[in-house]
Amino acid sequence: MDHKNSHSASYAAAGVDITAGYKAVELMKKHVARTKNEGCLDDVGGFGGCFGLPVAGMEEPVLVSGTDGCGTKVKLAILMDKHDTIGIDAVAMCVNDIICVGAKPLFFLDYIACGKNVPEKIAEIVGGVAEGCVQSGAALIGGETAEHPGLMPVEDYDLAGFAVGVVDKKKILNKERMAVGDVVIALPSTGIHSNGFSLCRKVFNIDNNDPLLYEAREELGGKTIAETLLTPTKIYVKPVLALLEKVDVKGISHITGGGFYENIPRSIPKGLTAKISKSAVKILPIFDLIAKFGNIPERDMFNTYNMGVGMSVVVPAAEVETALEILKANGQDAYVIGEIVKGDEGVVLC
């Protein structure tokens, strides 16, 4: 697309450089190209992203959508001047939600609001979005970058996204089929993921760029707290889709903000409860540090963070070993953390 005649000195004087937007689009195209799949119909840069819906073999295709952002994790990315992974988080928060329904992600769109459009930084952010799309099999078919001078400091930005997937209606996960004796399997997280960062900012004094953030720590494998906190959210799409093909999955929960107590009950029907063994949960060291430095009670930790479990999956007891084998074969560690029992609590930790 030719933009050589497009320039507004008056708009630039007000803080918005439209030519920077054009440059950012050109720089990000190489990243977008990595995400193309069989449904893509046009290039980024038009007024709408077009996608041919692949529904061959489906009796009654149903579209499933999800939208989310990265929360205040963006603040840490800005402080560290590291912008190449935050886009993975934006994708993960959306696609990990829609696979809880049983849907395969098809495409993704991003939205970046910034105080000043620095094309190289925007392209770096989109590079992370593209990587998340590659990991989930979704195509990045469009997006928007909005410059907000006066509303945001020039170095600040925020990032959100929107994903659409598809599932045959008969294969939508139905939690009502869950029964006493079914088993809860944990899929480990890579760390904090993208929730609870407002508390992390308080605990580690992130807003004031505390030097503590940049000290290498033995319990974190030699990494700093800042590096560990910025670790991208794990994307579970491909191993979970493989699992759905072979195992009778009864329910899936994406463990995000609200931790165990808010998210696990969302996939449990009334009259049943997920009984989770706290001793079985492989808590990551970063959560121990948060609890220690913030003097945070255990109940609050499990009600805020994933504690090392990014996703839980409920399967029949007879299929547990098969499920673990399939997940492992698809590069996903997994282990048992509990079972389904009678009760109305939704989840209990004991």
Side-chain angles (χ1 to χ4, degrees):
M1 190 178 297
D2 188 359
H3 298 292
K4 65 182 180 180
N5 293 322
S6 179
H7 175 71
S8 172
S10 298
Y11 206 7
V16 178
D17 184 357
I18 56 178
T19 60
Y22 302 146
K23 182 178 179 182
V25 170
E26 289 304 315
L27 290 175
M28 69 178 67
K29 282 186 175 181
K30 64 180 180 182
H31 300 299
V32 175
R34 297 177 56 216
T35 75
K36 285 195 172 184
N37 60 29
E38 68 278 8
C40 295
L41 298 181
D42 63 1
D43 294 324
V44 171
F47 288 99
C50 298
F51 192 89
L53 192 60
V55 295
M58 293 190 183
E59 295 178 10
E60 194 172 355
V62 175
L63 293 179
V64 180
S65 60
T67 185
D68 208 340
C70 311
T72 59
K73 185 172 186 174
V74 173
K75 178 73 173 179
L76 186 58
I78 293 168
L79 282 175
M80 293 180 67
D81 194 25
K82 180 174 172 55
H83 314 286
D84 60 339
T85 61
I86 196 71
I88 299 175
D89 293 286
V91 176
M93 296 304 292
C94 298
V95 298
N96 283 347
D97 275 355
I98 67 176
I99 60 167
C100 291
V101 183
K104 174 185 177 180
L106 297 175
F107 60 83
F108 186 84
L109 293 93
D110 60 31
Y111 176 81
I112 304 170
C114 57
K116 181 177 176 59
N117 188 332
V118 179
E120 292 76 13
K121 182 162 73 173
I122 298 300
E124 197 173 353
I125 295 167
V126 174
V129 174
E131 175 58 28
C133 287
V134 169
Q135 289 183 24
S136 63
L140 179 56
I141 65 169
E144 173 71 10
T145 301
E147 205 167 6
H148 291 166
L151 184 62
M152 306 173 72
V154 294
E155 71 277 4
D156 279 8
Y157 64 88
D158 196 13
L159 172 64
F162 173 81
V164 172
V166 67
V167 61
D168 203 341
K169 187 174 181 179
K170 65 182 180 182
K171 293 186 177 181
I172 293 175
L173 294 186
N174 179 8
K175 65 183 181 182
E176 299 303 325
R177 297 189 307 106
M178 205 172 290
V180 171
D182 287 341
V183 175
V184 184
I185 294 175
L187 277 56
S189 69
T190 50
I192 302 294
H193 284 185
S194 300
N195 299 100
F197 268 83
S198 292
L199 182 54
C200 284
R201 285 164 54 213
K202 178 182 178 182
V203 169
F204 296 120
N205 197 20
I206 289 175
D207 290 355
N208 292 317
N209 212 11
D210 194 312
L212 170 70
L213 289 165
Y214 306 103
E215 297 174 1
R217 304 189 67 91
E218 184 177 349
E219 62 264 59
L220 298 178
K223 291 185 177 181
T224 66
I225 290 173
E227 289 174 319
T228 304
L229 292 177
L230 203 57
T231 302
T233 304
K234 172 74 174 180
I235 292 177
Y236 300 99
V237 171
K238 293 180 179 179
V240 170
L241 287 177
L243 184 67
L244 290 168
E245 288 292 320
K246 301 283 183 66
V247 171
D248 182 20
V249 177
K250 304 284 190 72
I252 304 175
S253 294
H254 182 200
I255 314 300
T256 56
F260 283 51
Y261 287 101
E262 180 178 324
N263 292 289
I264 292 180
R266 294 166 68 179
S267 67
I268 310 295
K270 290 182 179 180
L272 295 180
T273 292
K275 183 180 179 183
I276 306 298
S277 171
K278 285 189 290 187
S279 63
V281 177
K282 299 177 182 180
I283 299 174
L284 297 175
I286 186 61
F287 297 108
D288 293 328
L289 286 176
I290 293 171
K292 174 184 175 181
F293 280 95
N295 192 28
I296 300 171
E298 181 183 71
R299 175 64 165 72
D300 287 358
M301 289 296 296
F302 275 94
N303 207 163
T304 305
Y305 296 106
N306 66 61
M307 300 302 286
V309 179
M311 186 164 279
S312 65
V313 178
V314 177
V315 303
E319 297 190 59
V320 170
E321 292 306 316
T322 300
L324 295 176
E325 290 173 4
I326 291 171
L327 289 167
K328 184 176 181 180
N330 285 273
Q332 177 61 61
D333 291 333
Y335 61 96
V336 173
I337 57 169
E339 63 177 336
I340 301 301
V341 299
K342 289 184 178 180
D344 294 317
E345 298 94 337
V347 65
V348 293
L349 278 68
C350 54

